[in-house]
DNA sequence: CGTTCCCTTGACACCGATCAACTCTGGTGG
DNA sequence: CCACCAGAGTTGATCGGTGTCAAGGGAACG
């Protein structure tokens, strides 16, 4: 019930796959400039696409895999589970993001990745990926770059968890998601779909769902956001960013820096 | 007063530099296997080495730089400052670690790096670095690998900050440092130099120095560690790891997994 | 011999966790 | 069609871990 229903998505799988693939291609093209044949190479990575149900793992912690995975549609989360049963989400994976480019080098993955909504995922043979990294230096560089931005996001989460209170923390998450979704055309005018339960937000922000609930109500009461039915609207992005201490530079969206 | 005094370090700079360089070479060689001429290429990166005083920045946030930096000796920290004057350390940089390989791709750095002790730092021209990455695929892969391990450390810090209380958090930090220092030969028998003030530990763990002080005393009282004069000894590593929920796999030290 | 940095300790306040109950919704099966 | 159920959101009461503020001590340094 979450990310379903593109109107009339009756097209055959292959064509649907390549359509979804465009978001992945467009995202890389937005941050690095790619030639047409490079884009074509990217499309050829998305031949084998599968649907993963919400709450199902795309990769389990400690697994080694012969594929690397790209989320073409839907949301996913990197997470680590603790012995006491709690879990910490360490990153949100949005459409167009790689899950695990690292396995081309590291083999074992140190965290699980779970689909938060029904997700369409490309399964790319490790070999094919390695070929691309080897023979397509421009693409290798673009992917390298995307990895470095992911790393900058990790650092910003550490700051968020270490030095901000619950309200600023959640405000910062909303600002980050807004910026990242805008880049791939999934947010416009401060409005976007937010398919996260309060428990997921809690596991990402190091809080409990009870407290996330209270904070969201405070943000609503303060006329900073509207959130209902899984749709979020930012009412005052200036105020929200100030509250969050949000500085978009780390995302390296040159064109968006100002907005 | 921190990392000084190799007995009689009166050797000329060049020779000292290449001696220090060995730690950097050895670290990469420990995780990836390198040929002799590749090691030589690494040594050639360390021609221009400089000393940075404790508390001085190696790189400032937002800076672009024509060099990349390698810490050959001493400790440093990546950090981000917040508007309210507080700071969050997002990673500890140990001897042999790159500071900012990313600037070869991203140009602007999203965080500062400060020397925590007097540090010896190699300044490598960006051009030279790019040459190596381009023409030395084995080295590129080794460095890629090191970057991915750094990324795994970032994730483990997020878990630490999000889901562990102060005691487990600091215990985890100690376990991490022990493992990383052991890899480069700077820890043996659970004993190593820890040139961090309680305030630095606080800024890394999202706590206040007052509380760090109390936690350290608890760890001492529990016979888990001895810490005095900047020297730390782990008395019961099994208990400490259990307390911390420490699982060394994420560091990808294959040989150390068991110990 | 004062200054500075770091560590230490105590009293108190507050943010967010915990526990528990209740609502609302949509889905499922009888 | 209705009864039931599971998942998500909401609310209140209470507890505890950390922050804050303040003061003092010791060691290194100029």
């Amino acid at each position: 019930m979450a990310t379903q229903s593109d109107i009339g998505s009756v097209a055959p799988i292959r064509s649907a796959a390549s359509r979804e693939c465009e978001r992945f291609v467009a995202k890389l093209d937005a941050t690095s400039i790619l030639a047409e044949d490079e884009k074509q190479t990217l499309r050829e990575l998305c031949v084998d696409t599968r649907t993963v149900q919400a709450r199902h793992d795309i990769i389990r912690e400690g697994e080694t895999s012969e594929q690397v995975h790209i989320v073409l549609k839907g949301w996913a989360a990197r997470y680590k589970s603790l012995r006491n049963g709690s879990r910490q989400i360490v990153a949100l994976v949005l459409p167009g993001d790689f899950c695990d480019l690292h396995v081309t080098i590291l083999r074992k993955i140190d965290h699980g990745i779970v689909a938060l909504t029904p997700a369409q995922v490309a399964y790319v043979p490790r070999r094919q990926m390695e070929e691309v990294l080897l023979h397509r230096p421009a693409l290798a560089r673009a992917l390298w770059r995307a990895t470095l931005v992911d790393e900058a996001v990790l650092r910003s989460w550490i700051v968020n968890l270490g030095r901000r209170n619950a309200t600023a923390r959640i405000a910062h998450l909303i600002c980050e998601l807004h910026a990242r979704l805008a880049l791939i055309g999934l947010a416009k005018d401060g409005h976007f779909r937010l398919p996260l339960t309060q428990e997921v937000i809690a596991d990402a922000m190091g809080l409990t769902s009870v407290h996330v609930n209270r904070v969201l109500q405070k943000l609503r009461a303060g006329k900073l956001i509207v959130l209902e039915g899984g749709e979020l609207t930012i009412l005052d992005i200036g105020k929200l960013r100030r509250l969050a201490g949000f500085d978009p530079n780390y995302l390296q969206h040159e064109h968006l820096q100002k907005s």
Side-chain angles (χ1 to χ4, degrees), chain A:
Chain A
M1 97 205 41
T3 318
Q4 84 300 48
S5 74
D6 280 26
I7 317 106
S9 66
V10 274
I13 301 216
R14 179 55 61 83
S15 124
S18 56
R19 175 159 50 76
E20 295 307 340
C21 194
E22 286 313 312
R23 180 150 295 141
F24 162 57
V25 176
K27 189 200 153 193
L28 278 179
D29 195 36
T31 49
S32 314
I33 293 118
L34 302 178
E36 187 50 46
D37 65 325
E38 287 158 349
K39 294 189 208 172
Q40 191 51 39
T41 302
L42 290 179
R43 288 189 196 99
E44 284 160 12
L45 294 176
C46 305
V47 171
D48 178 9
T49 82
R50 313 183 197 173
T51 300
V52 179
Q53 293 188 318
R55 298 166 161 282
H56 282 231
D57 275 327
I58 298 172
I59 308 157
R60 254 179 294 278
E61 182 171 348
E63 226 172 62
T64 66
S65 164
E66 280 310 309
Q67 294 97 29
V68 301
H69 305 79
I70 307 166
V71 173
L72 301 179
K73 184 177 166 187
W75 290 39
R78 303 177 192 282
Y79 69 93
K80 287 179 155 240
S81 305
L82 305 207
R83 208 113 3 43
N84 66 11
S86 65
R87 118 186 135 157
Q88 174 68 39
I89 290 176
V90 296
L92 291 171
V93 182
L94 304 184
D97 287 346
F98 259 98
C99 285
D100 52 359
L101 192 49
H102 5 314
V103 301
T104 55
I105 294 200
L106 244 38
R107 308 311 307 279
K108 252 200 204 161
I109 189 160
D110 66 310
H111 60 278
I113 303 188
V114 62
L116 297 175
T117 69
Q120 200 168 348
V121 178
Y123 285 63
V124 184
R126 206 162 60 78
R127 268 297 172 67
Q128 186 183 1
M129 197 65 235
E130 279 173 350
E131 291 293 308
V132 171
L133 292 176
L134 211 59
H135 299 306
R136 293 291 196 160
L139 287 180
R141 205 178 168 84
L143 294 172
W144 204 177
R145 190 193 144 90
T147 307
L148 292 177
V149 173
D150 286 351
E151 210 182 286
V153 172
L154 289 178
R155 280 190 290 269
S156 83
W157 277 43
I158 289 177
V159 176
N160 218 18
L161 291 168
R163 286 291 180 233
R164 281 196 264 262
N165 66 20
T167 311
R169 230 182 266 185
I170 291 179
H172 197 280
L173 177 69
I174 292 170
C175 292
E176 176 197 320
L177 290 174
H178 175 241
R180 289 174 62 193
L181 289 168
L183 183 74
I184 54 177
L186 290 180
K188 48 213 162 324
D189 308 326
H191 176 266
F192 54 92
R193 177 128 241 287
L194 184 77
L196 303 180
T197 65
Q198 296 181 351
E199 195 181 346
V200 168
I201 297 174
D203 283 349
M205 304 314 261
L207 301 167
T208 58
S209 60
V210 171
H211 201 62
V212 168
N213 183 287
R214 294 196 239 260
V215 169
L216 287 176
Q217 288 182 53
K218 214 170 63 171
L219 292 178
R220 284 190 274 239
K223 304 284 183 210
L224 290 166
I225 62 168
V226 174
L227 173 57
E228 48 183 19
E231 303 275 336
L232 188 143
T233 307
I234 299 174
L235 296 178
D236 187 338
I237 192 151
K239 223 191 253 180
L240 193 69
R241 287 185 170 181
R242 248 170 289 125
L243 174 63
F246 181 77
D247 169 1
N249 282 314
Y250 72 100
L251 291 169
Q252 307 273 150
H253 298 175
E254 268 105 17
H255 17 305
L256 299 179
Q257 224 98 297
K258 307 261 91 174
S259 83

